[in-house]
Amino acid sequence: MGNTPGKIEDKNENTKHQEEKETRTSAQEIEREFEKLAELSNKVEELEKEIYNTHRGLLMSKNLLKQNKISQNNIDNIRSNIRKMENTISKVEEELKNERQCLNQVYRKVGSQKKNSILDSNHFNKMPAYHSSFNNLTNDVQLICGVPLLPLKTRTRGPAPYADPSMEFDAVDEAIQLFKPNCFFKNFEIKGGGDRLMIYGILYISECLNTLKQNMTAAEAQKQLYSLAVSNFLVPGDSSFPLRTMYTAAQNRQEHETLRQYLLQFRQEISARIVPLIYMEDTSSPSKWWLSFQKRYFMGKAL
């Protein structure tokens, strides 16, 4: 016997309820995955800040050691702590990678129509983003191509505003600090001019790392990265510049040249500051932990 209209309606209704239940379940699974990712990413960020501050402390301690103001045992203890934190960060980053793979598996379980409805609920907005702390300061500085000419702690001549001696953290420090955690992001929402400068700094650091070789000494690296910094380079706003849609074009040739000179200072300062960090443990070869980021590109882009 054929199905009666009432039974067909009941069957359709049951199917509809089942689909709605599956959709809610899938959404809940994705919600949990995003919460895990947010927690892991925040942990990585905290560890990155901790190890960066420890690196700076080690440099200060080395200077004190030269002045016989600190014992060798304290230096050895700091180095030991750095190695422990590097190992911890590597484990967290691997765990973060696994969580993202789990998230992709959840997406594949959801039909395209259901997936789109879930994505429209702004779940992606819950992913943590590492934005510039200078976004709110760009109203007080000159903007060219959307890039703020922020003060830099540098002795290199150029258009960068004079940095107050009491300034402990500038845009160069920020780019170095946020390089590793931001390398895991394929998408990034710009929230201010500080983000644009940070993006350029992160892309340049990637270029620096890809210039280094495993058997290159710190002295050789310093020379190579200086040459890289002063070599001919594209400026945001140029037609061939990566992510050019995130930047505006220069109003005239003078603005274009001013931005080039500022970024020249920015590049030179990054090159100078990053070498001591990469060669913290051994000046005869770069840190393998740093070199492991040679194949990671922020937003999948390179200069």
Side-chain angles (χ1 to χ4, degrees), residues 80-97:
S80 176
N81 289 334
I82 287 177
R83 284 192 293 269
K84 290 179 181 178
M85 284 187 288
E86 287 178 345
N87 291 333
T88 301
I89 289 178
S90 296
K91 293 178 181 178
V92 173
E93 288 172 347
E94 184 63 28
E95 189 175 356
L96 183 62
K97 178 181 177 181

Side-chain angles (χ1 to χ4, degrees), residues 144-147 196 200 234-251 256 259 263:
I144 300 179
C145 299
V147 178
R196 292 186 177 89
Y200 185 89
L234 293 172
V235 173
D238 287 345
S239 59
S240 300
F241 183 77
L243 303 172
R244 61 184 180 276
T245 57
M246 295 184 177
Y247 299 82
T248 59
Q251 297 296 319
H256 185 275
L259 180 58
L263 292 179

Side-chain angles (χ1 to χ4, degrees), residues 86 214 278 285-294:
E86 287 178 345
Q214 290 186 353
I278 297 174
S285 61
S287 167
K288 293 181 180 179
W289 188 70
W290 272 92
L291 293 186
S292 66
F293 282 83
Q294 285 180 321

Side-chain angles (χ1 to χ4, degrees), residues 147-284:
V147 178
L149 274 58
L150 296 169
L152 299 178
K153 298 181 296 181
T154 180
R155 296 180 180 179
T156 305
R157 291 185 177 182
Y162 174 75
D164 189 277
S166 62
M167 186 178 186
E168 297 182 355
F169 187 84
D170 66 359
V172 173
D173 293 321
E174 182 175 71
I176 295 174
Q177 178 176 300
L178 296 181
F179 166 74
K180 295 191 187 78
N182 270 352
C183 277
F184 290 95
F185 287 89
K186 297 299 182 183
N187 299 293
F188 186 81
E189 178 187 2
I190 292 181
K191 294 188 176 181
D195 281 344
R196 292 186 177 89
L197 183 59
M198 180 194 68
I199 289 172
Y200 185 89
I202 290 175
L203 295 181
Y204 177 68
I205 292 172
S206 291
E207 194 171 11
C208 288
L209 291 180
N210 282 287
T211 302
L212 303 180
K213 307 298 180 183
Q214 290 186 353
N215 59 348
M216 186 178 290
T217 66
E220 292 171 338
Q222 197 75 68
K223 294 179 181 178
Q224 289 292 328
L225 295 191
Y226 175 79
S227 297
L228 176 65
V230 300
S231 63
N232 189 34
F233 57 90
L234 293 172
V235 173
D238 287 345
S239 59
S240 300
F241 183 77
L243 303 172
R244 61 184 180 276
T245 57
M246 295 184 177
Y247 299 82
T248 59
Q251 297 296 319
N252 49 57
R253 180 174 293 182
Q254 182 179 356
E255 274 198 356
H256 185 275
E257 184 59 27
T258 299
L259 180 58
R260 175 180 293 279
Q261 292 301 317
Y262 178 81
L263 292 179
L264 178 60
Q265 290 179 279
F266 192 56
R267 290 161 65 97
Q268 287 180 271
E269 198 59 36
I270 287 178
S271 294
R273 295 189 205 177
I274 201 171
V275 170
L277 298 178
I278 297 174
Y279 288 85
M280 183 67 65
E281 295 296 321
D282 185 2
T283 57
S284 64

